[in-house]
Amino acid sequence: MTTPEIPQRSWSQRWHVKGVGWTALLVALLVGSSKMTGVDVGMFFSNFDQFTNLLVRMSQPAWSYVPIIIQPLYETIQMAILGTTIGTVFAVPFAVLAASNLVHNQWLRGIIRLILDLVRTLPDLLLAAIFVAIFGIGSTAGVITLAIFSFGMISKLFYEVIETIDMGPLEAMESVGASKVTIIWYAVLPQIMNQFVSYFLYTLEINVRASTVLGYLGAGGIGVFLQRSLSEFDYNKTAVIILATLVVVMVIDGVSNHLRRVLL
């Protein structure tokens, strides 16, 4: 007596069943999360006409406002460059000390990573509020805030890149008695320089956008003008500020792509 053969589902049928299951689970999680957090999803659709009205009002930028925001936009770029550079300078030695393939002392490495975790825990808006209270309204508070934010972010990205390098050149230089500084300079940096530049420019791009928001707290830059235009419901000027920031971010992205091609 032969055993009846059980028909096998096709790949498309199995994918369909799994897709329906995951979709149902995602919908259930979204509904449950909205209930627990008190989010009114229907309000989004009921107020959608206000959203479209805002977009229509922003669709006619006040181009005459461009000369006024050139100087604060320039200040924003300066804040981002200065803050990112200061943060990077301090991040490099901390990244080296946090890399497990370069530092074998677990206690030292653990303390360094704990410090980096604490720095990344602090939100940039909280830092801006603290430094505005200390240094007053102006770009100084913004630069220090961006430097600390950049330090926490870049240091983590840097030591993760360092831990992926090829250890062959390091072992070869250690075998001939090279010092730690020489090994890092000639065996580590050449392998990670293109990633370092890429992460630096990526953080710079983030800081340009972040410095715009920090202006709400008095940290200087174009954010002060953005806050003013929004408080006055002058969305034509808001559109100009957003477009100007977009242009700066696109330029930084283009420079990043060019340097990445040059360094590869």
Side-chain angles (χ1 to χ4, degrees):
M1 182 176 180
T2 60
T3 304
E5 184 176 342
I6 301 175
Q8 298 292 327
R9 291 180 177 177
S10 64
W11 178 86
S12 60
Q13 289 175 328
R14 292 196 300 269
W15 181 89
H16 177 73
V17 172
K18 290 182 178 179
V20 171
W22 283 111
T23 302
L25 178 61
L26 178 61
V27 171
L29 290 175
L30 289 175
V31 173
S33 300
S34 63
K35 294 293 185 182
M36 287 186 291
T37 57
V39 175
D40 188 358
V41 181
M43 186 180 295
F44 171 78
F45 298 99
S46 62
N47 295 336
F48 191 76
D49 56 337
Q50 298 182 19
F51 175 71
T52 55
N53 180 48
L54 180 62
L55 289 180
V56 170
R57 296 173 63 181
M58 294 179 62
S59 64
Q60 299 177 347
W63 299 114
S64 59
Y65 195 59
V66 172
I68 300 176
I69 65 171
I70 292 297
Q71 179 58 33
L73 181 62
Y74 181 60
E75 181 182 353
T76 296
I77 298 173
Q78 288 179 316
M79 288 169 51
I81 293 176
L82 190 57
T84 307
T85 303
I86 294 174
T88 302
V89 169
F90 286 96
V92 171
F94 274 81
V96 173
L97 294 175
S100 59
N101 55 345
L102 297 183
V103 176
H104 303 294
N105 188 323
Q106 294 183 359
W107 286 101
L108 175 61
R109 194 171 66 248
I111 293 173
I112 294 298
R113 293 196 179 190
L114 177 61
I115 294 174
L116 299 180
D117 290 339
L118 291 175
V119 172
R120 288 196 305 273
T121 302
L122 299 174
D124 51 355
L125 292 177
L126 174 61
L127 292 173
I130 293 174
F131 291 121
V132 166
I134 296 174
F135 298 102
I137 296 175
S139 58
T140 301
V143 170
I144 298 176
T145 299
L146 294 176
I148 295 177
F149 170 77
S150 302
F151 166 75
M153 178 178 178
I154 293 179
S155 56
K156 177 176 175 58
L157 295 174
F158 278 11
Y159 82 69
E160 288 181 347
V161 171
I162 293 175
E163 290 179 340
T164 63
I165 63 174
D166 181 13
M167 296 298 294
L170 279 76
E171 295 172 354
M173 295 189 69
E174 286 178 350
S175 64
V176 297
S179 63
K180 280 288 186 181
V181 176
T182 303
I183 292 174
I184 293 174
W185 185 262
Y186 290 102
V188 177
L189 288 181
Q191 298 188 58
I192 58 179
M193 184 56 66
N194 57 338
Q195 289 97 331
F196 271 23
V197 174
S198 178
Y199 286 142
F200 173 85
L201 293 173
Y202 173 66
T203 306
L204 176 61
E205 175 187 329
I206 293 176
N207 284 341
V208 170
R209 298 195 300 268
S211 58
T212 302
V213 179
L214 296 181
Y216 274 86
L217 301 176
I222 200 173
V224 176
F225 290 79
L226 179 62
Q227 191 273 341
R228 185 183 304 168
S229 65
L230 289 174
S231 62
E232 296 174 354
F233 304 101
D234 197 345
Y235 298 114
N236 295 335
K237 295 180 180 179
T238 302
V240 173
I241 296 174
I242 293 174
L243 291 174
T245 307
L246 174 63
V247 170
V248 173
V249 172
M250 291 178 62
V251 170
I252 295 174
D253 185 61
V255 173
S256 176
N257 293 333
H258 174 71
L259 290 179
R260 192 181 297 111
R261 289 193 298 267
V262 170
L263 292 174
L264 287 177

